[in-house]
Amino acid sequence: MASEINDPGFIDLNFRIIEPVEKQIEAADEFFEILNSRRTVRDFTDQPVPFELIEKAILTAGTAPSGAHMQPWRFVVVQDPDIKARIKEAAEKEEYESYHGRMPDRWLRRLAPIGTDEHKPFLTIAPYLIVVFRITSVSDLGEPEPTYYSQESVGIAVGMLLAALHNMGLATLTHTPSPMKFLQEILGRPKTEVPYVLIPVGYPSPDAKVPDFERKELEEIMTVI
Ligand code: IYR
């Protein structure tokens, strides 16, 4: 039984230096402007998305750092209309329960400005659903071994996935139907892969609306000591 641990040795760091500092500031400003224009979208069209964009976005997400470099993620791309329909049916069933009893009033009050309810039409309209799974354990020398810091690792990878998709002009929704176990069953993933988030991807409908939210000011989110 071979161990899956391998030791590839070390190579020189290939670091992208940006000089002078003005160019660093320019790069920082440009990146901020791009990411600051990202919005969570709930109204999609069925306009097809080139599959190579989805592939490139997932490759980009896969560059995320991870605990012990275990890369504890799997990205399941759903394009099959029948499977999307099954996911929609199962998600709406769970969401109905959530909106009609499982979520406390204070949570529902938080969601009211966003205008969500148990109906999830985007699950069949958006051309792709990317379902992200967190790999909780691997087999090493025939024994299960946990992945390390998998929550943090997958969270970072999802952030990078959303940024990559936004940067290529695609709209996303960070959707977490709860509980998400039905995704493991419908998509046939093993018990060691736990659903983390479901991301519909596509183009926004021309009349898509988003809440008139503001982001916290720097002073509110940064503490310097
Ligand atoms: N998962 C539900 C409820 C929901 C929860 C949060 I926190 C949100 O920011 C938005 C929705 C739904 O998708 O409707």
Side-chain angles (χ1 to χ4, degrees):
M1 189 79 65
S3 169
E4 74 148 36
I5 301 169
N6 76 329
D7 180 357
F10 285 84
I11 53 169
D12 288 338
L13 172 66
N14 183 6
F15 191 77
R16 181 172 154 263
I17 295 170
I18 305 178
E19 283 177 333
V21 71
E22 288 74 20
K23 279 197 79 179
Q24 285 186 280
I25 293 168
E26 208 179 295
D29 284 342
E30 280 173 14
F31 196 57
F32 171 74
E33 289 305 329
I34 293 171
L35 287 200
N36 195 35
S37 68
R38 186 204 55 78
R39 295 298 312 255
T40 289
V41 170
R42 291 191 161 76
D43 305 306
F44 291 85
T45 68
D46 61 1
Q47 184 186 332
V49 166
F51 186 63
E52 68 174 296
L53 293 180
I54 302 295
E55 288 181 312
K56 189 50 67 77
I58 291 172
L59 257 187
T60 306
T63 67
S66 62
H69 191 53
M70 291 177 85
Q71 306 171 82
W73 40 66
R74 171 166 302 279
F75 303 90
V76 177
V77 181
V78 183
Q79 48 170 4
D80 184 306
D82 295 336
I83 299 185
K84 285 199 282 182
R86 284 177 63 194
I87 289 175
K88 177 173 180 284
E89 193 188 339
E92 288 183 333
K93 205 164 146 216
E94 292 295 354
E95 295 289 87
Y96 180 89
E97 296 303 328
S98 296
Y99 280 91
H100 296 86
R102 278 203 294 236
M103 285 193 280
D105 280 351
R106 62 181 184 188
W107 190 349
L108 292 172
R109 276 200 297 277
R110 285 276 174 193
L111 295 183
I114 304 176
T116 53
D117 59 24
E118 71 272 25
H119 302 293
K120 306 297 175 192
F122 48 76
L123 290 173
T124 46
I125 296 172
Y128 292 109
L129 309 177
I130 302 179
V131 186
V132 184
F133 286 83
R134 178 174 67 91
I135 299 176
T136 56
S137 83
V138 296
S139 166
D140 189 53
L141 298 169
E143 298 281 332
E145 179 189 11
T147 52
Y148 306 105
Y149 295 95
S150 62
Q151 294 280 9
E152 292 83 349
S153 305
V154 178
I156 295 166
V158 167
M160 292 171 62
L161 179 67
L162 296 176
L165 290 163
H166 173 66
N167 186 56
M168 54 181 78
L170 291 171
T172 55
L173 166 59
T174 324
H175 182 42
T176 51
S178 176
M180 283 197 281
K181 207 177 151 33
F182 66 87
L183 290 168
Q184 220 169 9
E185 287 149 19
I186 294 175
L187 301 174
R189 302 314 306 168
K191 285 201 164 47
T192 50
E193 294 185 12
V194 176
Y196 188 84
V197 69
L198 190 169
I199 306 174
V201 182
Y203 296 100
S205 46
D207 54 356
K209 297 260 186 293
V210 292
D212 192 9
F213 282 160
E214 287 189 357
R215 295 193 161 113
K216 288 182 178 177
E217 299 289 333
L218 182 61
E219 292 66 32
E220 263 189 285
I221 63 173
M222 181 176 77
T223 301
V224 185
I225 299 177

PDB file of all heavy atoms in Angstrom, residues 39-43 114 205-212:
ATOM      1  N   ARG A  39     -21.432  41.744  -7.846  1.00  0.00           N
ATOM      2  CA  ARG A  39     -22.657  41.657  -7.060  1.00  0.00           C
ATOM      3  C   ARG A  39     -23.189  40.237  -7.135  1.00  0.00           C
ATOM      4  O   ARG A  39     -23.027  39.554  -8.148  1.00  0.00           O
ATOM      5  CB  ARG A  39     -23.734  42.632  -7.608  1.00  0.00           C
ATOM      6  CG  ARG A  39     -23.396  44.105  -7.505  1.00  0.00           C
ATOM      7  CD  ARG A  39     -23.221  44.573  -6.065  1.00  0.00           C
ATOM      8  NE  ARG A  39     -24.278  44.137  -5.183  1.00  0.00           N
ATOM      9  CZ  ARG A  39     -25.250  44.928  -4.718  1.00  0.00           C
ATOM     10  NH1 ARG A  39     -25.286  46.198  -5.049  1.00  0.00           N
ATOM     11  NH2 ARG A  39     -26.185  44.435  -3.921  1.00  0.00           N
ATOM     12  N   THR A  40     -23.813  39.829  -6.065  1.00  0.00           N
ATOM     13  CA  THR A  40     -24.508  38.549  -6.078  1.00  0.00           C
ATOM     14  C   THR A  40     -25.761  38.697  -6.935  1.00  0.00           C
ATOM     15  O   THR A  40     -26.542  39.624  -6.729  1.00  0.00           O
ATOM     16  CB  THR A  40     -24.864  38.156  -4.632  1.00  0.00           C
ATOM     17  OG1 THR A  40     -23.652  37.816  -3.960  1.00  0.00           O
ATOM     18  CG2 THR A  40     -25.825  36.984  -4.592  1.00  0.00           C
ATOM     19  N   VAL A  41     -25.910  37.798  -7.907  1.00  0.00           N
ATOM     20  CA  VAL A  41     -26.993  37.897  -8.892  1.00  0.00           C
ATOM     21  C   VAL A  41     -27.978  36.737  -8.706  1.00  0.00           C
ATOM     22  O   VAL A  41     -27.550  35.592  -8.494  1.00  0.00           O
ATOM     23  CB  VAL A  41     -26.387  37.888 -10.320  1.00  0.00           C
ATOM     24  CG1 VAL A  41     -27.463  37.738 -11.377  1.00  0.00           C
ATOM     25  CG2 VAL A  41     -25.569  39.162 -10.555  1.00  0.00           C
ATOM     26  N   ARG A  42     -29.265  37.053  -8.767  1.00  0.00           N
ATOM     27  CA  ARG A  42     -30.288  35.995  -8.638  1.00  0.00           C
ATOM     28  C   ARG A  42     -31.143  35.841  -9.890  1.00  0.00           C
ATOM     29  O   ARG A  42     -31.945  34.918  -9.975  1.00  0.00           O
ATOM     30  CB  ARG A  42     -31.180  36.268  -7.418  1.00  0.00           C
ATOM     31  CG  ARG A  42     -30.446  36.100  -6.105  1.00  0.00           C
ATOM     32  CD  ARG A  42     -31.351  36.112  -4.879  1.00  0.00           C
ATOM     33  NE  ARG A  42     -30.654  35.518  -3.745  1.00  0.00           N
ATOM     34  CZ  ARG A  42     -29.705  36.137  -3.037  1.00  0.00           C
ATOM     35  NH1 ARG A  42     -29.359  37.376  -3.331  1.00  0.00           N
ATOM     36  NH2 ARG A  42     -29.100  35.513  -2.048  1.00  0.00           N
ATOM     37  N   ASP A  43     -30.975  36.755 -10.846  1.00  0.00           N
ATOM     38  CA  ASP A  43     -31.773  36.686 -12.085  1.00  0.00           C
ATOM     39  C   ASP A  43     -30.844  36.420 -13.262  1.00  0.00           C
ATOM     40  O   ASP A  43     -30.100  37.317 -13.689  1.00  0.00           O
ATOM     41  CB  ASP A  43     -32.518  38.008 -12.313  1.00  0.00           C
ATOM     42  CG  ASP A  43     -33.372  38.377 -11.118  1.00  0.00           C
ATOM     43  OD1 ASP A  43     -34.182  37.538 -10.702  1.00  0.00           O
ATOM     44  OD2 ASP A  43     -33.199  39.493 -10.583  1.00  0.00           O
ATOM     45  N   ILE A 114     -33.276  41.382   1.026  1.00  0.00           N
ATOM     46  CA  ILE A 114     -32.675  40.705  -0.139  1.00  0.00           C
ATOM     47  C   ILE A 114     -33.780  40.130  -1.023  1.00  0.00           C
ATOM     48  O   ILE A 114     -33.589  39.903  -2.215  1.00  0.00           O
ATOM     49  CB  ILE A 114     -31.688  39.600   0.337  1.00  0.00           C
ATOM     50  CG1 ILE A 114     -30.630  40.213   1.264  1.00  0.00           C
ATOM     51  CG2 ILE A 114     -31.018  38.915  -0.845  1.00  0.00           C
ATOM     52  CD1 ILE A 114     -29.672  39.206   1.879  1.00  0.00           C
ATOM     53  N   SER A 205     -29.918  38.483 -16.248  1.00  0.00           N
ATOM     54  CA  SER A 205     -30.991  38.928 -17.143  1.00  0.00           C
ATOM     55  C   SER A 205     -30.924  40.454 -17.234  1.00  0.00           C
ATOM     56  O   SER A 205     -30.492  41.128 -16.293  1.00  0.00           O
ATOM     57  CB  SER A 205     -32.360  38.442 -16.690  1.00  0.00           C
ATOM     58  OG  SER A 205     -32.542  38.629 -15.351  1.00  0.00           O
ATOM     59  N   PRO A 206     -31.340  41.002 -18.401  1.00  0.00           N
ATOM     60  CA  PRO A 206     -31.178  42.452 -18.636  1.00  0.00           C
ATOM     61  C   PRO A 206     -31.883  43.299 -17.584  1.00  0.00           C
ATOM     62  O   PRO A 206     -31.450  44.419 -17.309  1.00  0.00           O
ATOM     63  CB  PRO A 206     -31.816  42.657 -20.011  1.00  0.00           C
ATOM     64  CG  PRO A 206     -31.928  41.310 -20.634  1.00  0.00           C
ATOM     65  CD  PRO A 206     -31.950  40.299 -19.537  1.00  0.00           C
ATOM     66  N   ASP A 207     -32.950  42.749 -16.980  1.00  0.00           N
ATOM     67  CA  ASP A 207     -33.678  43.544 -15.978  1.00  0.00           C
ATOM     68  C   ASP A 207     -33.364  43.093 -14.548  1.00  0.00           C
ATOM     69  O   ASP A 207     -34.138  43.340 -13.625  1.00  0.00           O
ATOM     70  CB  ASP A 207     -35.187  43.468 -16.251  1.00  0.00           C
ATOM     71  CG  ASP A 207     -35.684  42.036 -16.332  1.00  0.00           C
ATOM     72  OD1 ASP A 207     -34.827  41.107 -16.247  1.00  0.00           O
ATOM     73  OD2 ASP A 207     -36.908  41.826 -16.470  1.00  0.00           O
ATOM     74  N   ALA A 208     -32.199  42.456 -14.371  1.00  0.00           N
ATOM     75  CA  ALA A 208     -31.828  41.982 -13.028  1.00  0.00           C
ATOM     76  C   ALA A 208     -31.701  43.161 -12.064  1.00  0.00           C
ATOM     77  O   ALA A 208     -31.166  44.212 -12.418  1.00  0.00           O
ATOM     78  CB  ALA A 208     -30.507  41.215 -13.098  1.00  0.00           C
ATOM     79  N   LYS A 209     -32.229  42.973 -10.874  1.00  0.00           N
ATOM     80  CA  LYS A 209     -32.128  43.996  -9.823  1.00  0.00           C
ATOM     81  C   LYS A 209     -31.316  43.401  -8.666  1.00  0.00           C
ATOM     82  O   LYS A 209     -31.371  42.197  -8.415  1.00  0.00           O
ATOM     83  CB  LYS A 209     -33.525  44.358  -9.300  1.00  0.00           C
ATOM     84  CG  LYS A 209     -34.431  44.985 -10.353  1.00  0.00           C
ATOM     85  CD  LYS A 209     -34.450  46.493 -10.197  1.00  0.00           C
ATOM     86  CE  LYS A 209     -35.449  47.149 -11.128  1.00  0.00           C
ATOM     87  NZ  LYS A 209     -35.095  47.028 -12.556  1.00  0.00           N
ATOM     88  N   VAL A 210     -30.596  44.276  -7.966  1.00  0.00           N
ATOM     89  CA  VAL A 210     -29.867  43.841  -6.766  1.00  0.00           C
ATOM     90  C   VAL A 210     -30.190  44.816  -5.642  1.00  0.00           C
ATOM     91  O   VAL A 210     -30.536  45.977  -5.905  1.00  0.00           O
ATOM     92  CB  VAL A 210     -28.330  43.789  -7.004  1.00  0.00           C
ATOM     93  CG1 VAL A 210     -27.965  42.682  -7.983  1.00  0.00           C
ATOM     94  CG2 VAL A 210     -27.797  45.125  -7.489  1.00  0.00           C
ATOM     95  N   PRO A 211     -30.093  44.365  -4.385  1.00  0.00           N
ATOM     96  CA  PRO A 211     -30.372  45.291  -3.279  1.00  0.00           C
ATOM     97  C   PRO A 211     -29.410  46.480  -3.323  1.00  0.00           C
ATOM     98  O   PRO A 211     -28.246  46.325  -3.698  1.00  0.00           O
ATOM     99  CB  PRO A 211     -30.122  44.448  -2.023  1.00  0.00           C
ATOM    100  CG  PRO A 211     -30.115  43.030  -2.475  1.00  0.00           C
ATOM    101  CD  PRO A 211     -29.721  43.022  -3.920  1.00  0.00           C
ATOM    102  N   ASP A 212     -29.915  47.621  -2.911  1.00  0.00           N
ATOM    103  CA  ASP A 212     -29.106  48.849  -2.918  1.00  0.00           C
ATOM    104  C   ASP A 212     -28.223  48.873  -1.667  1.00  0.00           C
ATOM    105  O   ASP A 212     -28.356  49.745  -0.816  1.00  0.00           O
ATOM    106  CB  ASP A 212     -30.045  50.067  -2.979  1.00  0.00           C
ATOM    107  CG  ASP A 212     -29.287  51.352  -3.277  1.00  0.00           C
ATOM    108  OD1 ASP A 212     -28.083  51.275  -3.598  1.00  0.00           O
ATOM    109  OD2 ASP A 212     -29.906  52.425  -3.168  1.00  0.00           O
TER     110      ASP A 212
END
